[in-house]
Amino acid sequence: MELDDEKMQVDDGIDEISPMTLGHYYQHLFPHTLYYKWLNYNGKLATTEYTHREFSFTIKDGIYLRYQSFKDSEEFQRELSRLSPSKIDIGAIFTAPPKHAKSLQPGVFKPVSKELVFDIDMTDYDEIRTCCQGGDICAKCWRFMTVAMHVLDRALREDFGFTKIMWAYSGRRGVHCWVCDERARKLDDPGRKAVAGYLSLIRGGAEQAKKVNLSQRNALHPHIVRSLEIVEEYFEDVLLVDQEILLTRDRWTKVLNMLPDEDLRKTMDAQWSKRPDRSSVDKWSELIDAVDKRAAKKGSKFGLSTFERDLMLQMTYPRLDENVTTHVNHLLKSPFCIHPKTGRVCTPIAADQFDSFDPLAVPTLAQLLREINEPSSHSGSAAKSTSMVPYIGVFEDFVSTVLPTPANSQPSLDF
């Protein structure tokens, strides 16, 4: 879709997320062409991958419209312009166009495929992170997402052989993963549950102190060994330096509660209480030395020898929302919609940018609208003179991997 070059006329409501500002975004900045190529999976002509796909829109006053479907990209664009949804969710591909669901006989309308998706939310790390809570994030706790992306991306590629993977920032406090290989899209619910189970390691609720309990056999699995190598690379900087998980008695008590040896818990608590101002790095070193010595003694309690490994995994390994993954008809927020709380765009994240991606630098709707109104030396579409350009580039690179044949010419930004 070619965008016009006219400057938008907006009033003082540019800082608000409203049908007007969203309408401008969908008209001038949303990457319609690439978006259609992605979800159609087969070039220009619409296939059932697109026409039988469910979209859901959240519109003004929180009205939620499910089972929306479209015959082509143009119809989708018209509805976006007409409704200006504050949120777009992507669902499954069904046996018939979802907009006809109510007119079909029971049992005829069924989900048949969808991308294998994963959702990781920062609030699931609230029992660990000390810098922020709830919907807040900062550079320090975002590194939990960095580790999660590294661990899952490696597993999906190396253990399952998937190659068509897109990561996306949720717009506020987490990341989503879209696995778009045909094998992944065709998985039924039991298959998705098996993949989620393979990748899930943290078990137990808030009342349970120790949530990772690996047998000696499971600990030798290549996925665990590889994940531990990644976790070890980040553990000191993220948990001990940034989060200072042993800085105060409240914090170190949570860690000591994971020890299977009550005497050692009391000993370390007493030792640190005498000098509480020591850094978490120093306290961690003391703790591991004490654990190793106790574990080496004959008759030491089972679990001491694996304490360091299990704790590092519990503190740093990805925490998946398994319900999102296990059901083919589960909806997930679309890339490139605007998060209603932050105003930030839900942008793709390249695999080689896991460590450098900054969620707080992602453009907001208000920022983008200002940018396309500013005098610019750029020619062409309005979008090409905004902060969206690098994220569109990431998306374009990904979309090129899902098309049936690679482009013969050098790719260019196509909005």
Side-chain angles (χ1 to χ4, degrees):
M1 173 186 177
E2 289 298 324
L3 301 175
D4 62 57
D5 300 325
E6 296 179 1
K7 298 300 180 184
M8 292 180 355
Q9 299 300 315
V10 294
D11 58 19
D12 292 336
I14 194 171
D15 290 322
E16 299 177 0
I17 300 176
S18 67
M20 182 198 71
T21 54
L22 287 168
H24 285 310
Y25 170 78
Y26 291 130
Q27 181 182 356
H28 294 269
L29 295 167
F30 192 90
H32 289 287
T33 300
L34 289 172
Y35 192 82
Y36 174 74
K37 287 180 178 180
W38 166 38
L39 294 176
N40 192 46
Y41 289 102
N42 194 30
K44 294 183 178 180
L45 295 177
T47 68
T48 56
E49 298 284 338
Y50 190 84
T51 61
H52 291 194
R53 167 84 68 170
E54 178 189 2
F55 296 89
S56 76
F57 295 155
T58 303
I59 61 174
K60 190 176 180 180
D61 298 325
I63 298 172
Y64 190 50
L65 304 177
R66 282 205 65 178
Y67 299 117
Q68 307 297 299
S69 60
F70 309 96
K71 65 180 181 180
D72 53 30
S73 179
E74 287 72 24
E75 185 180 21
F76 177 75
Q77 292 177 48
R78 286 195 298 271
E79 280 298 280
L80 279 189
S81 297
R82 185 178 73 87
L83 296 172
S84 296
S86 59
K87 184 184 177 189
I88 307 168
D89 288 307
I90 299 175
I93 297 158
F94 286 82
T95 50
K99 62 185 174 184
H100 300 318
K102 292 182 179 180
S103 65
L104 297 174
Q105 293 293 325
V108 173
F109 184 68
K110 298 178 181 178
V112 293
S113 65
K114 192 195 70 178
E115 294 76 13
L116 179 66
V117 294
F118 299 89
D119 179 15
I120 308 173
D121 194 300
M122 191 72 79
T123 56
D124 290 325
Y125 295 80
D126 279 355
E127 64 178 359
I128 301 169
R129 59 180 181 150
T130 60
C131 53
C132 305
Q133 291 286 291
D136 295 332
I137 62 167
C138 68
K140 290 181 178 180
C141 57
W142 183 256
R143 299 184 76 184
F144 286 111
M145 297 295 108
T146 300
V147 176
M149 289 188 287
H150 276 297
V151 170
L152 286 187
D153 196 75
R154 289 278 301 276
L156 290 167
R157 296 180 190 277
E158 297 179 22
D159 298 348
F160 293 95
F162 296 135
T163 59
K164 301 172 182 179
I165 301 171
M166 178 176 64
W167 288 90
Y169 171 46
S170 71
R172 189 182 187 188
R173 63 190 183 206
V175 293
H176 300 154
C177 178
W178 299 78
V179 184
C180 301
D181 300 68
E182 186 173 4
R183 287 188 300 115
R185 304 199 313 265
K186 299 298 183 184
L187 284 172
D188 57 12
D189 284 358
R192 292 164 192 264
K193 185 176 181 179
V195 174
Y198 177 92
L199 295 170
S200 297
L201 196 59
I202 313 297
R203 303 291 183 188
E207 72 287 345
Q208 184 172 329
K210 194 169 187 294
K211 298 180 175 68
V212 172
N213 294 281
L214 293 170
S215 67
Q216 291 296 339
R217 180 180 179 181
N218 288 341
L220 298 176
H221 191 283
H223 169 58
I224 300 300
V225 173
R226 180 182 59 241
S227 298
L228 186 59
E229 290 174 355
I230 296 171
V231 163
E232 287 175 336
E233 180 182 348
Y234 290 89
F235 181 80
E236 180 172 325
D237 285 344
V238 177
L239 274 301
L240 302 181
V241 177
D242 287 347
Q243 299 300 323
E244 283 277 15
I245 59 170
L246 300 175
L247 183 64
T248 66
R249 192 163 191 259
D250 285 345
R251 296 182 188 180
W252 76 56
T253 297
K254 293 180 181 180
V255 174
L256 294 180
N257 283 341
M258 301 180 200
L259 275 171
D261 189 309
E262 184 178 357
D263 291 339
L264 187 55
R265 288 200 298 268
K266 293 179 178 179
T267 298
M268 299 310 302
D269 180 59
Q271 181 175 321
W272 292 342
S273 294
K274 292 178 181 177
R275 296 186 60 188
D277 57 335
R278 302 192 67 205
S279 72
S280 292
V281 173
D282 290 338
K283 290 172 184 169
W284 177 256
S285 179
E286 293 170 355
L287 175 61
I288 297 307
D289 285 345
V291 167
D292 288 345
K293 290 176 182 178
R294 185 68 61 94
K297 291 183 178 180
K298 185 177 180 180
S300 65
K301 293 184 178 180
F302 174 80
L304 278 174
S305 60
T306 61
F307 169 78
E308 181 179 10
R309 177 201 69 199
D310 290 354
L311 185 140
M312 285 196 294
L313 288 170
Q314 177 169 327
M315 292 283 192
T316 323
Y317 187 88
R319 298 182 169 218
L320 304 178
D321 184 342
E322 292 188 48
N323 289 328
V324 173
T325 302
T326 55
H327 300 294
V328 68
N329 62 346
H330 199 291
L331 296 157
L332 187 63
K333 185 191 303 176
S334 170
F336 293 103
C337 64
I338 304 296
H339 196 287
K341 297 290 187 182
T342 64
R344 297 192 188 279
V345 184
C346 302
T347 55
I349 305 171
D352 62 357
Q353 296 173 0
F354 290 163
D355 289 282
S356 60
F357 180 82
D358 180 2
L360 302 180
V362 170
T364 64
L365 174 60
Q367 174 186 342
L368 292 170
L369 296 185
R370 288 193 179 89
E371 288 174 354
I372 62 176
N373 274 327
E374 290 174 355
S376 172
S377 60
H378 294 282
S379 61
S381 71
K384 292 183 180 180
S385 63
T386 72
S387 304
M388 283 278 281
V389 170
Y391 305 104
I392 296 290
V394 172
F395 190 45
E396 185 172 35
D397 288 343
F398 163 71
V399 171
S400 69
T401 70
V402 306
L403 297 178
T405 56
N408 294 322
S409 59
Q410 285 282 52
S412 61
L413 290 184
D414 185 1
F415 296 92

